[in-house]
């Protein structure tokens, strides 16, 4: 009989196991993959954006916006950074608050596995988990290598994104089986597919502001045109908030009074042709945007056309056809409903001994290291309690 069995040797599961093991529990970690931490290995372009210094509950989507507060406050980005430094992993701040390894994401996996081993945890990979049932005060987990008994179980098999890296619905399925509710799931931090994508623009990138309505979320960051639509950080961020069929706006020239700039160019260069109006944008994009103005010199372009162009530049309305789906999504939004969990310990309120952590929970972070910080913080919360 184990004290704690952790299902999933990903970011959250390894952190929870190491914490529980160091706390004196006999811990077993099970995973069906060929090695632990596969998403960590591919994260941050191979350098793992392992935390964000300015994380907080406002950087997460959840039906309960306050749920993440307690775990994030107890185990902070600074706590994780101390662990990274204790393992002598060199790091750097790339964009504001976003911390990456100087070397390789493998250093983070090695660090977590080493913490697990120090805590005396046993790690079994390539182990299929078929089902789980209550028995007495504990649980029996049926695996491809026989039954495993445990007093406590931590569900940490993550979300549905990137099935080829081992994603499955196991945590959601087991949570549902034990009576927990699931907030509807969808791909998040995901490239968008447009009905009228112009393949000519593929690869064009620029800094934009994406937003939903006047009061909705707003992100200023990079955007890139793809063969099927749009990607880049500003798009991934807004994608997490979009409902099917919903539109959002893109400001292609943030921070400038576009109409004034267009009028000035018309005045200063009356004989120039329309592409000259948009010299500040990538040439391929400028050409498409001024197509309506034909080959008429700027002097002969009516103000109404400049106004329409300015409107399109600062408030381009985009209605995606859909997303690139879980195959390309960085995370899943939705998941195990936080109303059924303790925000302090991640334990299911009605199923003593059962914990849910990481991406399987309805807590979805922005891009930039927030999702890993949630994995670390929720993992520590459950690891200490289990
Ligand atoms: P995670 O997915 O890490 O682990 C789940 C584990 O459970 C896996 O090892 C899996 O094999 C196992 N498992 C699943 N189903 C199972 C089953 N049926 N039986 C047994 N085992 C099973 N975040 C961030 O903060 N910074 C970043 O730089 C990035 N970069 C990034 C890049 C890419 C390409 C992706 C796809 C994602 C990111 N993320 C990220 C998101 C981040 O990877 C993610 O939020 C965390 O890994 C979630 O941690 P979990 O432990 O919850 O799941």
């Amino acid at each position: 009989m184990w004290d704690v069995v952790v299902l999933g040797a990903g970011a959250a599961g390894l952190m929870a196991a190491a914490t529980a093991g160091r706390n004196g529990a006999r811990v077993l970690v099970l995973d069906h993959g060929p090695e632990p931490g596969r998403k960590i290995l591919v994260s941050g372009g191979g350098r793992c954006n392992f935390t964000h210094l300015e994380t907080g509950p406002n950087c997460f989507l959840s039906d309960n916006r306050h749920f993440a507060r307690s775990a994030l406050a107890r185990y902070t980005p600074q706590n994780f950074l101390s662990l990274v430094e204790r393992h002598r992993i060199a790091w750097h701040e790339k964009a504001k608050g976003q911390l990456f390894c100087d070397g390789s994401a493998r250093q983070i996996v090695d660090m977590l596995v080493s913490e697990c081993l120090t805590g005396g945890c046993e790690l079994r990979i390539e182990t299929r988990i078929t089902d789980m049932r209550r028995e007495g005060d504990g649980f029996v987990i049926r695996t491809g290598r026989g039954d495993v008994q445990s007093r406590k179980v931590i569900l940490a098999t993550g979300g549905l994104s990137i099935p080829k890296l081992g994603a499955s619905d196991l945590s959601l399925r087991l949570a549902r089986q034990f009576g927990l509710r699931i907030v509807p799931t969808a791909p998040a931090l995901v490239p968008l597919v447009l009905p009228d994508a112009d393949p000519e623009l593929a690869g064009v990138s620029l800094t934009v502001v994406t937003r939903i309505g006047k009061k909705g979320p707003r992100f200023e960051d990079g955007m890139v045109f793809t063969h099927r639509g749009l990607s880049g950080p500003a798009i991934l961020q807004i994608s997490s908030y979009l409902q099917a069929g919903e539109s959002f706006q893109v400001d292609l020239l943030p921070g400038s009074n576009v109409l004034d700039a267009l009028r000035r160019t018309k005045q200063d260069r009356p004989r120039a042709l329309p592409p000259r109006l948009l010299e500040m944008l990538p040439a391929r994009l400028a050409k498409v945007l001024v197509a309506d103005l034909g080959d008429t010199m700027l002097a002969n372009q009516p103000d109404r056309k400049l106004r329409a162009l300015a409107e399109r530049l600062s408030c381009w309305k985009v209605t995606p056809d859909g997303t690139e789906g879980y195959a390309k999504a960085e995370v899943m939004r939705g998941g195990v409903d936080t109303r059924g969990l303790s925000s302090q310990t991640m334990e299911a309120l009605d199923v003593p001994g059962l914990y849910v952590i990481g991406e399987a929970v309805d807590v979805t972070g922005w891009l930039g290291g927030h999702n890993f910080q949630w994995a670390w913080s929720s993992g520590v919360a459950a690891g200490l309690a289990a």
Side-chain angles (χ1 to χ4, degrees):
M1 170 79 89
W2 295 89
D3 293 326
V4 180
V5 169
V6 180
L7 305 188
L14 291 173
M15 196 63 176
T19 307
R22 281 178 161 274
N23 233 9
R26 283 191 67 236
V27 182
L28 171 67
V29 188
L30 301 174
D31 199 293
H32 65 174
E35 61 179 327
R38 285 208 286 168
K39 272 195 196 162
I40 302 175
L41 292 174
V42 300
S43 68
R47 292 231 162 93
C48 185
N49 177 194
F50 55 79
T51 193
H52 195 297
L53 292 175
E54 288 165 20
T55 200
N58 59 320
C59 307
F60 293 86
L61 290 81
S62 172
D63 265 10
N64 175 358
R65 299 207 51 184
H66 302 291
F67 183 80
R69 187 180 300 278
S70 164
L72 291 172
R74 181 192 242 172
Y75 191 82
T76 64
Q78 211 55 53
N79 291 129
F80 191 76
L81 188 54
S82 304
L83 181 64
V84 165
E85 291 187 330
R86 193 149 50 74
H87 282 257
R88 299 180 192 286
I89 298 173
W91 57 274
H92 62 279
E93 186 170 351
K94 199 169 167 193
K96 195 166 181 292
Q98 300 180 13
L99 306 193
F100 287 74
C101 299
D102 286 358
S104 146
R106 185 165 291 282
Q107 294 172 288
I108 298 292
V109 176
D110 289 348
M111 173 187 86
L112 293 167
V113 170
S114 137
E115 286 289 307
C116 284
L117 298 180
T118 307
C121 308
E122 185 175 326
L123 188 56
R124 282 186 207 159
I125 54 169
E126 296 185 318
T127 304
R128 210 161 43 87
I129 298 156
T130 49
D131 64 57
M132 182 169 111
R133 63 175 194 277
R134 239 323 179 198
E135 200 171 88
D137 286 346
F139 300 87
V140 177
I141 300 138
R142 175 154 297 167
T143 81
R145 302 175 178 200
D147 287 357
V148 170
Q149 285 182 299
S150 185
R151 280 183 240 288
K152 299 187 169 167
V153 171
I154 300 179
L155 301 182
T157 58
L160 298 170
S161 66
I162 324 270
K164 74 170 193 271
L165 286 178
S168 81
D169 68 349
L170 184 70
S171 287
L172 302 178
R173 189 156 52 80
L174 292 177
R176 201 179 284 120
Q177 179 194 322
F178 281 86
L180 289 161
R181 292 206 319 207
I182 307 294
V183 172
T185 54
L189 297 180
V190 63
L192 299 173
V193 176
L194 302 189
D196 48 1
D198 181 350
E200 292 282 304
L201 291 177
V204 169
S205 64
L206 66 164
T207 297
V208 301
V209 167
T210 52
R211 63 191 152 81
I212 301 175
K214 285 210 165 67
K215 291 190 174 155
R218 175 189 187 281
F219 297 97
E220 180 161 4
D221 215 322
M223 176 180 90
V224 59
F225 289 84
T226 66
H227 281 98
R228 283 161 49 88
L230 296 170
S231 188
I235 294 298
L236 301 186
Q237 297 277 39
I238 209 78
S239 76
S240 296
Y241 289 87
L242 283 176
Q243 303 303 322
E246 195 180 8
S247 307
F248 65 103
Q249 295 84 41
V250 181
D251 183 347
L252 294 163
L253 283 170
S256 47
N257 186 328
V258 181
L259 186 56
D260 277 1
L262 297 181
R263 281 181 174 144
R264 224 174 308 120
T265 312
K266 173 178 167 177
Q267 205 173 15
D268 295 349
R269 302 170 186 232
R271 295 176 159 278
L273 292 176
R276 180 58 65 87
L277 286 168
L278 300 182
E279 267 178 338
M280 59 298 222
L281 287 176
R284 269 194 284 160
L285 178 59
K287 197 171 146 212
V288 171
L289 288 166
V290 297
D292 286 357
L293 305 187
D295 283 335
T296 312
M297 289 193 313
L298 297 187
N300 298 331
Q301 294 288 350
D303 239 32
R304 126 185 96 74
K305 285 205 168 180
L306 294 192
R307 267 198 306 276
L309 177 59
E311 174 70 13
R312 201 152 9 116
L313 288 166
S314 53
C315 200
W316 176 33
K317 183 177 167 194
V318 182
T319 313
D321 250 0
T323 75
E324 294 280 5
Y326 285 118
K328 295 270 174 68
E330 211 160 278
V331 292
M332 169 191 88
R333 75 170 183 231
V336 175
D337 193 332
T338 58
R339 277 166 284 217
L341 302 175
S342 154
S343 63
Q344 247 94 109
T345 64
M346 307 294 134
E347 188 172 18
L349 299 173
D350 294 332
V351 192
L354 182 68
Y355 301 76
V356 195
I357 58 174
E359 203 179 308
V361 180
D362 171 35
V363 173
T364 307
W366 289 349
L367 204 67
H370 303 281
N371 284 297
F372 276 138
Q373 186 57 45
W374 169 245
W376 318 136
S377 297
S378 60
V380 167
L384 286 174

